[in-house]
């Protein structure tokens, strides 16, 4: 698959078959994804590939502890899905946003059945968090994890696999650490579900803002146009 095609065809997959993913395929994906950039080339990322059914169940249960209350709040006001950055609500209305939300709930309720759950960690000592002293939320630290996470997602697309990224599990890190004996000094940054997509159940066209709205040239608000 050509790179630009992978970049424009990597949706959040919500419906997976129960067919196992061969270890060799996963290895190939990670073997390419590992060339991602990280601050100082420290490569502090660590990925736990979870295929054992009982462990997947435990991870999915922890994820649902965060998802279920979020879902109820979101249903009341479609919180988060208004401002998820995709422009979905603005372009397609509330019904569309609610449909997305319900698809995400379908996914969360059967997360334990997804053949591969990958928990992404990063070693805190490897991070140079250059915005940590500013009077706002810090965003830089994750930069040395999510480059590889995105590469994994693109690699999966190239293999015909679907992926769904969630960060809700981060709030349950102590319990996830205990489950896998994770040593101190690591932060849980993402959960990535990986499997074969159910044909016909995926979005075929992604909804994203145009370049002019999100990329500026020489002055803030001055969109990059051709
Ligand atoms: C940082 C981050 C957190 C996300 N958290 C969740 C999540 O908790 N649950 C989920 O199902 N999807 C999550 N997503 C996926 C987005 O909701 C999804 O990419 C977005 O709605 C656009 O959908 P699409 O990629 O299918 O077009 C997350 C994505 C990112 C980058």
């Amino acid at each position: 698959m050509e790179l630009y095609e992978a970049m424009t065809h990597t949706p959040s997959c919500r419906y997976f078959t129960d067919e196992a993913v061969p270890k060799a395929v996963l290895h190939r994906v990670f073997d390419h994804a590992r060339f991602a950039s990280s601050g100082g080339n420290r490569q502090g990322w660590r990925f736990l590939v979870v295929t054992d059914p009982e462990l997947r169940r435990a991870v999915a249960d922890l994820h649902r502890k965060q998802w279920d209350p979020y879902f109820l709040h979101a249903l009341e006001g479609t919180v988060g899905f208004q401002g998820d950055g995709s422009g979905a609500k603005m372009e397609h209305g509330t019904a569309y946003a609610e449909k997305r939300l319900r698809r995400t709930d379908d996914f969360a309720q059967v997360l334990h059945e997804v053949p591969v759950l990958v928990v992404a960690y990063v070693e805190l000592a490897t991070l140079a968090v250059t915005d940590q002293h500013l009077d706002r939320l810090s965003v830089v630290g994750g930069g040395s994890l999510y480059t590889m996470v995105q590469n994994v997602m693109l690699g999966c697309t190239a293999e015909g696999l679907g992926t769904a990224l969630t960060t809700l599990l981060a709030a349950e890190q102590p319990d996830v650490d205990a489950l896998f004996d994770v040593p101190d000094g690591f932060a849980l940054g993402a959960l990535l579900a990986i499997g074969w997509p159910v044909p016909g159940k995926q979005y075929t066209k992604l909804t994203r803002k145009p370049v002019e709205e999100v990329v500026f040239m020489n002055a803030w608000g001055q969109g990059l146009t051709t």
Side-chain angles (χ1 to χ4, degrees):
M1 178 183 269
E2 194 250 330
L3 178 62
Y4 282 169
E5 192 186 344
M7 288 166 74
T8 51
H9 292 80
T10 299
S12 289
C13 179
R14 310 290 190 207
Y15 302 95
F16 299 87
T17 73
D18 54 11
E19 189 186 338
V21 180
K23 259 203 306 196
V25 174
L26 291 172
H27 191 277
R28 190 160 57 230
V29 167
F30 283 102
D31 196 26
H32 289 83
R34 70 193 169 90
F35 288 91
S37 169
S38 62
N41 200 22
R42 300 289 300 277
Q43 303 166 65
W45 43 56
R46 296 292 181 271
F47 293 84
L48 262 167
V49 177
V50 186
T51 56
D52 175 88
E54 276 181 30
L55 290 171
R56 279 188 289 150
R57 165 78 65 178
V59 169
D61 285 352
L62 288 170
H63 176 267
R64 249 198 344 271
K65 263 178 84 175
Q66 291 295 318
W67 169 258
D68 287 348
Y70 173 84
F71 176 57
L72 291 180
H73 284 120
L75 262 190
E76 283 159 13
T78 46
V79 176
F81 278 66
Q82 289 181 49
D84 70 354
S86 70
K89 182 162 186 194
M90 287 166 289
E91 285 172 28
H92 301 279
T94 311
Y96 184 81
E98 189 175 323
K99 193 173 163 207
R100 292 179 71 92
L101 185 57
R102 292 200 182 277
R103 287 170 64 90
T104 309
D105 185 54
D106 290 348
F107 161 73
Q109 300 310 324
V110 295
L111 185 61
H112 56 283
E113 293 175 5
V114 181
V116 183
L117 299 181
V118 175
V119 189
Y121 280 88
V122 66
E123 187 174 7
L124 291 166
T126 67
L127 302 180
V129 186
T130 52
D131 62 348
Q132 64 185 313
H133 300 303
L134 297 179
D135 187 21
R136 61 153 171 77
L137 279 178
S138 172
V139 296
V140 169
S144 284
L145 174 62
Y146 298 116
T147 47
M148 180 157 167
V149 170
Q150 180 68 17
N151 268 3
V152 172
M153 293 170 74
L154 292 173
C156 285
T157 298
E159 297 284 353
L161 289 163
T163 54
L165 170 68
T166 134
T167 51
L168 286 174
L169 192 68
E172 301 292 335
Q173 179 171 350
D175 285 349
V176 183
D177 287 358
L179 199 57
F180 296 102
D181 272 334
V182 177
D184 288 342
F186 288 83
L188 195 171
L191 171 66
L192 197 56
I194 300 178
W196 304 105
V198 175
K201 289 279 266 180
Q202 314 306 323
Y203 288 116
T204 49
K205 195 170 185 311
L206 299 185
T207 308
R208 299 291 189 264
K209 294 174 180 171
V211 170
E212 296 72 26
E213 225 178 284
V214 296
V215 184
F216 304 146
M217 193 162 191
N218 295 323
W220 190 265
Q222 189 168 278
L224 171 65
T225 53
T226 48

